Amino acid sequence: MVETIEWTNAGVVMIDQTRLPREKVFVTCRDYKEVAEAIRAMVIRGAPAIGVAAAMGVALGVEKADPANLDAEFTVICDTLAATRPTAVNLFWAIERMKRLYGTLKGRSIAEIRARMREEALEIRLDDIAINEAMGRYGAALVPDGKSVLTHCNAGALATAGYGTALGVIRAAVASGKKIDVFADETRPFLQGARLTAWELQQDGIPVTLITDNMAGHFFKGGRIGCVVVGADRIARNGDTANKIGTYSVAVLAKENGVPFYVAAPVSTLDLTLASGDLIPIEQRPAREVTEVFGVPVAPEGVRVENPAFDVTPARYITAIITERGVAFPPFEESLAKLVLG
Ligand code: MRU
């Protein structure tokens, strides 16, 4: 499986997801500003992966900061990383975790502060892989044997520290002996499904069929799809789920065709401070992602464009939410709170 992100002596190394699958190139971010830029430009993307990147960015920032001005620089580092992408709550969760640790290290030597921040970021990365594997174990049981699973965007190893959320569930189902294959929506405009999910599953030898987003209804109607599994960027208290633009349409199609729709996400993707999905901030991306494909114009110059990167699937379309602590079923207000608070 691919190594999405790693801490090295030279800096934070990540696979450049803007260049896959044509080229497998790794970039090294040598300071926190480069990490922030990599998140903003989607060199690294996917909610858990950008959480890990942000934590490593904070640690890298502390590593390079002037010890005489540490508190002020720490605030700027955290604010810069937090300003990169607004929707995935994992980014803010990871920065908050780094802030909490920093707060406990007052009066310690700079060497100790740096070491502890680095260890925390590495722990977040390792935890993420274990969390995905746990989610896979819970989710695999829900996947029907002998059918296709449809997924949207990339919620795989590339979107996490490894293994994946939605693709983790699929990997675990395959590992348990289920005979399944995957329909990957291409996921316009950034093509995470075509470029990343199809590539990732091919690498693992899991059968995958690529379809354009507007083909999903056709295949639901044909009865080949046994369930949908997608990831999430932020889940509100009532279960409303923000995920890649187009997820809502898939959920409506699934319900219309009586196909279960599962969301796989770590507890760090839950935002219980938000009562409903209406309050989730939706990132707006540049128009050229819609008007161009790999730099080639596909629309008339000057056309008005909207490019929301995410949509919100209302909880009523979601059959269950798979987390590392177990599977939550409706009513989500109760089941999610129970998973988080015990
Ligand atoms: O814009 P992206 O590529 O960062 O969006 C990613 C998604 O929407 C994923 O489905 C989500 O982050 C879950 S990843 C495990």
Side-chain angles (χ1 to χ4, degrees):
M1 212 160 24
V2 281
E3 290 289 343
T4 310
I5 180 165
E6 271 184 295
W7 178 278
T8 71
N9 288 338
V12 177
V13 176
M14 46 185 90
I15 191 164
D16 186 343
Q17 301 193 30
T18 64
R19 290 160 79 171
L20 283 170
R22 286 170 300 160
E23 290 176 294
K24 192 172 168 186
V25 181
F26 291 85
V27 294
T28 304
C29 300
R30 288 170 208 282
D31 59 38
Y32 79 89
K33 288 184 186 158
E34 288 185 3
V35 175
E37 182 50 27
I39 296 171
R40 198 202 54 74
M42 293 172 67
V43 168
I44 188 157
R45 32 65 52 202
I50 64 178
V52 175
M56 288 189 178
V58 173
L60 193 56
V62 170
E63 197 97 7
K64 304 263 166 115
D66 174 3
N69 197 24
L70 193 56
D71 281 350
E73 283 195 38
F74 184 75
T75 303
V76 175
I77 292 164
C78 292
D79 289 352
T80 305
L81 286 157
T84 50
R85 296 194 72 193
T87 303
V89 76
N90 309 60
L91 176 82
F92 308 99
W93 169 89
I95 293 170
E96 279 311 309
R97 184 162 150 180
M98 297 302 280
K99 276 186 183 170
R100 265 199 312 277
L101 172 65
Y102 183 78
T104 68
L105 297 173
K106 291 263 171 278
R108 305 290 180 88
S109 73
I110 183 69
E112 189 179 347
I113 293 172
R114 285 175 173 157
R116 291 285 294 112
M117 298 299 283
R118 199 167 50 228
E119 282 160 17
E120 189 78 355
L122 294 180
E123 192 174 305
I124 290 175
R125 178 183 173 279
L126 277 183
D127 281 357
D128 187 55
I129 300 173
I131 284 168
N132 292 332
E133 288 170 350
M135 243 184 288
R137 285 191 290 276
Y138 284 115
L142 300 171
V143 175
D145 201 359
K147 288 261 197 181
S148 303
V149 180
L150 185 133
T151 191
H152 189 74
C153 194
N154 172 266
L158 288 165
T160 61
Y163 202 66
T165 58
L167 295 195
V169 168
I170 289 168
R171 285 192 165 95
V174 170
S176 75
K178 288 189 175 170
K179 297 270 171 289
I180 54 171
D181 66 288
V182 178
F183 273 89
D185 281 349
E186 71 168 348
T187 318
R188 273 280 286 155
F190 214 72
L191 300 174
Q192 289 94 331
R195 296 189 303 102
L196 308 176
T197 297
W199 180 78
E200 204 185 304
L201 292 175
Q202 255 190 0
Q203 302 279 308
D204 269 17
I206 297 175
V208 56
T209 303
L210 177 63
I211 57 172
T212 63
D213 299 332
N214 50 356
M215 293 175 188
H218 173 77
F219 288 103
F220 274 113
K221 207 151 165 260
R224 288 168 63 181
I225 297 169
C227 74
V228 176
V229 189
V230 296
D233 288 85
R234 197 185 291 227
I235 301 174
R237 196 157 70 219
N238 67 347
D240 289 354
T241 294
N243 191 48
K244 180 51 54 195
I245 192 76
T247 302
Y248 174 32
S249 318
V250 174
V252 174
L253 281 169
K255 195 172 182 98
E256 165 70 15
N257 290 279
V259 172
F261 182 93
Y262 298 115
V263 173
V267 165
S268 57
T269 304
L270 300 177
D271 186 352
L272 300 189
T273 67
L274 302 184
S276 84
D278 296 342
L279 300 167
I280 297 176
I282 300 293
E283 176 183 9
Q284 305 295 322
R285 305 247 347 143
R288 70 183 139 68
E289 290 178 0
V290 175
T291 58
E292 296 176 3
V293 175
F294 298 119
V296 178
V298 292
E301 181 125 13
V303 68
R304 205 166 50 220
V305 168
E306 296 257 3
N307 187 14
F310 302 95
D311 60 24
V312 175
T313 299
R316 66 180 178 280
Y317 292 101
I318 300 171
T319 311
I321 298 174
I322 303 157
T323 76
E324 73 274 28
R325 297 193 191 158
V327 181
F329 291 94
F332 292 117
E333 187 105 28
E334 283 166 30
S335 56
L336 291 177
K338 214 184 220 163
L339 281 184
V340 173
L341 309 168

